[in-house]
Amino acid sequence: MTNYLELLYLISFTGILAVAYSYLLSGQIISSSAGNSKMQEIAEAIQIGAKAYLNRQYKTIAAVGLIVLGIVTYFFNYLVGLGYFIGAFLSGVAGYVGMLISVKANVRTAEASRKSLQSGLTIAFKSGAITGLLVAGLALLAITLYYIVLINLKVDNREIINALVALGFGASLISIFARLGGGIFTKGADVGADLVGKVEAGIPEDDPRNPAVIADNVGDNVGDCAGMAADLFETYAVTIVATMVLASIFSPQDYNLMVYPLAIGGACIITSIIGTWFVKLGKK
């Protein structure tokens, strides 16, 4: 059991490493040039819209989430309720941070692309790596640390599974709202921009003079960035938990089998971080 716990602590360290590396990359992006005043003006309008939409959406989700939290805790126990809360909260955090870094990186990618294609790729890839590593790091950290807590509390194996399943369920609830809500918003704005801008006013597609284009870009950030980040968090967490559940069913006493999917996740984080150093354009 001691070696088993040591391995879990090592896996949780890889989750911390992913979050720390994401923080390092975000500092590099924010410190880069945001372009001229016109670029910054358009980017600011998109940033304000994205924050306003996401804040309003999360307030609505929180109200629903608290009701479900009360129901889950009442019918099961506080450990299941806590697992649900951790999953929902971190799924929301992953989405929100993913959106924040995206709206900062968009204009910086455009500015860097004016210098060279390689510079633009570097900023764009780093911003994507931040969201990807943050999602994987937070999910792995949440599951591993909560699993360690449950083991130290000497909770029954069945209750451990219930608590971990609830963690995945909490992440699923947030991702449904974030993905669908953001997707509906961006598609509505996209169609509106095309109908009013191109068809009626004769304004070229994706022209910032059309307010619906700004709304469309807001939707891209809240749907394709925040929504996708929450969705990926949910998929990652649920996949690991589901594999752990299968391990507990087929081999209830074999703890090594349950830690196996966590170990794979930890190894993949390390290789992914190393892989980010090798993404470059060829000479041609």
Side-chain angles (χ1 to χ4, degrees):
M1 178 62 76
T2 304
N3 293 334
Y4 178 70
L5 285 173
E6 287 176 357
L7 182 57
L8 286 173
Y9 285 122
L10 184 61
I11 293 168
S12 63
F13 173 75
T14 62
I16 295 171
L17 184 65
V19 175
Y21 189 65
S22 297
Y23 180 77
L24 178 68
L25 291 180
S26 64
Q28 293 176 6
I29 287 177
I30 292 171
S31 63
S32 61
S33 173
N36 57 43
S37 58
K38 186 63 177 175
M39 292 170 67
Q40 292 182 41
E41 180 188 347
I42 296 170
E44 186 181 8
I46 296 169
Q47 290 168 21
I48 291 170
K51 283 183 181 179
Y53 174 87
L54 215 58
N55 288 339
R56 184 68 188 88
Q57 185 185 52
Y58 274 20
K59 285 179 183 176
T60 306
I61 295 174
V64 176
L66 287 173
I67 294 171
V68 177
L69 174 62
I71 295 171
V72 168
T73 306
Y74 177 78
F75 282 102
F76 290 93
N77 55 54
Y78 75 96
L79 290 174
V80 175
L82 181 59
Y84 165 82
F85 175 78
I86 291 171
F89 178 76
L90 289 182
S91 180
V93 168
Y96 201 87
V97 174
M99 185 275 297
L100 286 178
I101 197 63
S102 293
V103 295
K104 295 288 185 184
N106 292 341
V107 67
R108 287 166 172 79
T109 300
E111 172 61 17
S113 298
R114 297 171 69 187
K115 300 173 186 174
S116 70
L117 195 59
Q118 177 61 61
S119 299
L121 173 66
T122 300
I123 298 293
F125 185 79
K126 282 181 178 179
S127 68
I130 289 168
T131 304
L133 287 169
L134 190 69
V135 165
L138 285 176
L140 191 65
L141 203 56
I143 297 169
T144 306
L145 290 181
Y146 195 44
Y147 187 37
I148 291 171
V149 169
L150 293 169
I151 290 172
N152 287 330
L153 289 174
K154 294 183 171 31
V155 178
D156 177 71
N157 193 51
R158 175 64 187 178
E159 289 303 316
I160 289 177
I161 294 303
N162 286 343
L164 292 177
V165 168
L167 191 152
F169 176 63
S172 297
L173 181 77
I174 302 299
S175 73
I176 289 170
F177 281 95
R179 194 80 179 97
L180 293 181
I184 292 168
F185 182 95
T186 188
K187 287 306 171 191
D190 190 16
V191 172
D194 289 343
L195 289 176
V196 177
K198 289 196 296 184
V199 178
E200 293 186 12
I203 300 174
E205 188 173 1
D206 295 336
D207 193 305
R209 292 175 297 170
N210 183 355
V213 170
I214 303 297
D216 183 21
N217 280 277
V218 168
D220 288 337
N221 282 291
V222 298
D224 297 337
C225 297
M228 183 64 78
D231 195 26
L232 285 173
F233 181 95
E234 178 262 343
T235 303
Y236 190 94
V238 167
T239 303
I240 289 179
V241 169
T243 313
M244 293 175 74
V245 170
L246 288 174
S248 71
I249 292 171
F250 289 107
S251 185
Q253 304 304 322
D254 189 355
Y255 291 104
N256 290 322
L257 201 58
M258 283 190 71
V259 82
Y260 185 59
L262 295 171
I264 292 175
C268 289
I269 283 176
I270 295 171
T271 53
S272 295
I273 291 173
I274 295 171
T276 60
W277 301 339
F278 294 94
V279 178
K280 298 199 183 299
L281 286 176
K283 292 182 180 179
K284 297 183 180 180

